Amino acid sequence: MLKCRAAWQKLAPLVRSSSTLCRKSAKQTVLKCESSFRPTQRASMSSGPPGGSSDNLLYYLLVGGTVIGGGVYAYSTLHGDKVRYQERIAEIVSRQNKELTPTELQPTEKGEGGSEKETAPPSEAPPVETEQPPLEAVESAPETVPRPEVPPHAPYLLIGGGTASFAAARSIRARDPGARVLIVSEEAELPYMRPPLSKELWFSDDPNVNETLRFKQWNGKERSIYFQPPSFYVSPQDLPYVENGGVAVLNRKKVVHMDVRENKVRLDDGSEISYEKCLIATGGSPRNLQAIERAGEEVIKRTTLFRKIEDFKSLEKISKDVKSITIIGGGFMGSELACALGRRARESGLEVNQLFPEGGNMGKVLPEYLSNWTTDKVKTEGVNVLTDSVVKSVSYQDDKLEIKLKDGRVVKTDHIVAAVGLEPNVELAKSAGLEVDSDFGGFRVNAELQARSNIWVAGDAACFYDIRLGRRRVEHHDHAVVSGRLAGENMSGANKPYWHQSMFWSDLGPDVGYEAIGIVDSSLPTVGVFAKATAKDTPKAAAEESGTGIRSENETEAVASGASESTKTPSSPQVPQQGEDYGKGVIFYLRDNVVVGIILWNVFNRMPIARKIIKDGEEHTDLNEVAKLFNIHED
């Protein structure tokens, strides 16, 4: 290469002079612009100064040699680069082979059961240091990202794990089979039915009922308290990924804040869930007496506010360990628990007291004469009933609870069950900007159970507009089922109003029970038509005949005109006289001469008739004729 450069330096002046002569000759030829072609004899031109053809030959040789030398140089350079590239590739491959450890290269042998196991490396083999894997290997390795316990998004978010939420989830899935539904529940349990907690579970012969939570219905069939087994649900972590959607329950979590603008909620652990449509079914919390709340820790820890599975388990165990239990409250829950514990007391010697401020059991619901008759029935179950009892104070002395009443009476007991109603859970109203009804409590919603365009409320916490009876709030199982089902339908696009009148029922043991619908308030005018009961006029006999357990589950809308009329109905409504035992009947509740509520007392499987009467909303001059539809005088 150095020789070529030296030769070029010598030839450079000749090349420059030759190129100058060529440029001058070409310029003169163009300027002459000769119009005719004149053949001339080919002249020899020299690239250098004038002096002969030998100079031109030398010029050609030098230029040709330079070109050939440059080509040889380029070829040798490219060939060397190719060799070095191949050597580099070979080095990389050999390095990757060296990175395998002896353990990875060990052969495998068959172990027990035909499975493969690794052969241990020789003990004398020195440890091998492994290098970092190459970038290509890292990029190709599969990454497993852990799924969060709380899914960040749920198309359908249901707040509350009770009956209303489960009914809504089932309704949503029926209309939208691929829906992803997330239920957020404060409880540790999957959705379950509450009525057996104060009814059938107490009459179970199973010594392990506290664990199995299985019970026999009045018809003899056994079932679980849970709506569905665990296999019915998907895990919250998998909910966003399951192909066909499903229902998931996020237990032991509480929604503490709701952002209706951003469509998201915040849980008590700080995590957030966004949603597209949301149902609030927070239910209610059992009320307590101020006298108990002021009494101190020793009284509070000996008091049960009965509502959940854990309350049943606790009270069932307590009833076997103590000598006396006092139930405060004369409504549905208090009277049912009193009868259940009273029947158990016959075998164990447990003392059961029930006290309440009304003049008789369920005095706020039943007319006075029927409330007094019911109180006598509860007493026959082994319960010491104290009517017109207002609690003044509660204290703990000498290993006993002392309940002082305002009239001076004192009740000593080992344990208290407070059954004085529910307080709707409306804590989310503040953060969500939702309206709470000042008269009935609960979230105020329209006839479609909507509180906002994409927020619905169902169950105990809903103060809804009944298109027949006006604004209401209902705390019963069947209402939770009906309102939850309607909310689920409307969340998936149905836009239906609340037109179905839900029913509720209460059983004071297997022998006395009633079903009711509409507004049943003892302050309203009532008219009762009664007949003497027979052996088949009990909850147990009715369940055995119909095959139903939770009566509202199998209740269907029927045509009332299909019921046969009886000719044995008396000519005028009958009110039982003192001392008479009327075991079954129909009680009509009136508002402006229109029937707004009906109780069927030990009369079963007639609820579709009662529903139609209220739905029609007509004035009736002779309720005796209306009572004929229920056939209460059939033998």
Side-chain angles (χ1 to χ4, degrees), residues 437-448:
D437 191 87
S438 58
D439 295 326
F440 300 97
F443 296 96
R444 194 178 177 94
V445 295
N446 61 16
E448 289 78 26

Side-chain angles (χ1 to χ4, degrees), residues 408-424:
R409 289 177 292 176
V410 176
V411 178
K412 294 186 177 182
T413 188
D414 295 318
H415 195 83
I416 292 175
V417 178
V420 291
L422 288 178
E423 192 69 32

Side-chain angles (χ1 to χ4, degrees), residues 11 14-15 18 47-48 54-64:
L11 293 174
L14 296 176
V15 172
S18 174
S47 60
S54 60
D55 291 338
N56 291 337
L57 179 61
L58 179 61
Y59 171 75
Y60 291 142
L61 290 176
L62 290 175
V63 172

Side-chain angles (χ1 to χ4, degrees), residues 7-325:
W8 174 254
Q9 290 176 355
K10 293 180 180 181
L11 293 174
L14 296 176
V15 172
R16 284 194 294 270
S17 62
S18 174
S19 62
T20 302
L21 291 174
C22 290
R23 287 196 300 272
K24 290 180 178 180
S25 178
K27 183 177 181 181
Q28 292 174 359
T29 303
V30 172
L31 291 175
K32 288 181 180 180
C33 297
E34 294 179 351
S35 59
S36 61
F37 176 73
R38 297 178 183 179
T40 58
Q41 186 177 1
R42 191 172 188 178
S44 298
M45 294 185 64
S46 173
S47 60
S53 61
S54 60
D55 291 338
N56 291 337
L57 179 61
L58 179 61
Y59 171 75
Y60 291 142
L61 290 176
L62 290 175
V63 172
T66 302
V67 173
I68 294 173
V72 172
Y73 173 77
Y75 172 78
S76 62
T77 301
L78 293 175
H79 180 72
D81 290 343
K82 181 178 180 180
V83 172
R84 285 191 295 272
Y85 173 77
Q86 292 176 346
E87 291 176 352
R88 178 62 176 167
I89 294 298
E91 181 182 356
I92 292 174
V93 173
S94 63
R95 181 185 302 173
Q96 291 178 348
N97 291 335
K98 290 179 182 180
E99 287 172 354
L100 295 175
T101 62
T103 304
E104 294 172 321
L105 298 175
Q106 291 298 328
T108 57
E109 62 181 21
K110 297 293 181 179
E112 294 182 3
S115 60
E116 292 185 350
K117 64 179 182 180
E118 291 185 354
T119 304
S123 58
E124 63 272 11
V128 178
E129 281 190 19
T130 60
E131 300 179 3
Q132 292 294 330
L135 182 60
E136 296 83 0
V138 173
E139 291 179 350
S140 61
E143 296 184 2
T144 56
V145 180
R147 295 174 179 177
E149 177 188 2
V150 178
H153 178 74
Y156 294 94
L157 178 65
L158 313 184
I159 304 175
T163 300
S165 278
F166 179 79
R170 186 167 52 187
S171 180
I172 291 170
R173 291 279 296 171
R175 290 178 54 88
D176 184 3
R180 290 179 168 84
V181 183
L182 178 63
I183 298 174
V184 181
S185 175
E186 294 184 48
E187 295 190 53
E189 309 288 346
L190 294 173
Y192 61 90
M193 60 189 81
R194 298 190 190 275
L197 295 178
S198 58
K199 297 182 177 71
E200 294 94 338
L201 279 174
W202 291 97
F203 297 89
S204 174
D205 297 328
D206 184 3
N208 298 319
V209 66
N210 223 342
E211 301 299 329
T212 63
L213 296 175
R214 297 187 65 85
F215 61 94
K216 286 186 178 180
Q217 302 171 139
W218 299 142
N219 59 7
K221 294 181 180 179
E222 186 177 278
R223 67 177 299 177
S224 170
I225 195 173
Y226 297 100
F227 289 113
Q228 291 289 347
S231 58
F232 171 82
Y233 304 94
V234 300
S235 68
Q237 295 91 335
D238 296 336
L239 182 63
Y241 308 98
V242 289
E243 182 178 358
N244 297 319
V247 180
V249 181
L250 188 62
N251 293 109
R252 298 185 180 92
K253 301 292 183 182
K254 181 179 181 179
V255 176
V256 295
H257 186 272
M258 192 170 187
D259 189 339
V260 297
R261 292 185 178 180
E262 298 295 331
N263 291 333
K264 64 182 180 181
V265 300
R266 187 173 72 245
L267 307 185
D268 51 358
D269 62 358
S271 57
E272 293 185 342
I273 304 174
S274 61
Y275 60 85
E276 296 171 19
K277 297 179 180 180
C278 179
L279 172 70
I280 300 176
T282 48
S285 300
R287 293 191 183 100
N288 199 355
L289 295 174
Q290 291 185 358
I292 295 177
E293 293 176 342
R294 296 192 303 259
E297 182 180 353
E298 291 297 330
V299 173
I300 292 176
K301 73 180 183 179
R302 289 171 173 82
T303 301
T304 296
L305 303 180
F306 199 87
R307 176 68 172 169
K308 305 175 182 178
I309 283 181
E310 59 191 59
D311 300 327
F312 165 77
K313 290 183 176 181
S314 174
L315 187 59
E316 201 271 341
K317 184 177 183 299
I318 290 172
S319 67
K320 297 177 180 178
D321 298 335
V322 301
K323 296 181 179 179
S324 173
I325 292 179

Side-chain angles (χ1 to χ4, degrees), residues 154-160 164-165 167-169 171-172 175 181-182 255 258 260 263 265 275-283 425-426 428-429 432 434-435 442-465 471 479-480 482-498:
Y156 294 94
L157 178 65
L158 313 184
I159 304 175
S165 278
S171 180
I172 291 170
R175 290 178 54 88
V181 183
L182 178 63
V255 176
M258 192 170 187
V260 297
N263 291 333
V265 300
Y275 60 85
E276 296 171 19
K277 297 179 180 180
C278 179
L279 172 70
I280 300 176
T282 48
N425 295 327
V426 293
L428 291 176
L434 301 179
E435 183 180 1
F443 296 96
R444 194 178 177 94
V445 295
N446 61 16
E448 289 78 26
L449 304 181
Q450 270 185 308
R452 290 288 185 273
S453 60
N454 64 337
I455 299 176
W456 288 259
V457 187
D460 299 342
C463 182
F464 62 99
Y465 182 76
R471 190 154 295 279
H479 167 69
V482 173
S483 62
R485 181 172 64 235
L486 176 63
E489 290 178 353
N490 289 341
M491 291 174 76
S492 51
N495 297 321
K496 293 181 180 179
Y498 193 103

Side-chain angles (χ1 to χ4, degrees), residues 328-330 354-363 368 371-372 375 379 384-392 404-411:
I328 301 177
Q354 183 188 16
L355 56 91
F356 44 80
E358 295 81 26
N361 285 80
M362 292 178 290
E368 183 179 358
S371 175
N372 294 335
T375 302
K379 290 179 179 179
N384 180 26
V385 181
L386 288 78
T387 62
D388 303 306
S389 301
V390 179
V391 177
K392 181 180 180 180
K404 293 183 179 180
L405 306 180
K406 285 190 174 181
D407 59 6
R409 289 177 292 176
V410 176
V411 178

Side-chain angles (χ1 to χ4, degrees), residues 576-594:
Q577 301 298 318
Q578 187 69 29
E580 291 184 326
D581 184 11
Y582 282 77
K584 65 177 179 179
V586 181
I587 302 100
F588 299 99
Y589 292 75
L590 305 176
R591 188 170 63 188
D592 299 329
N593 295 323
V594 175

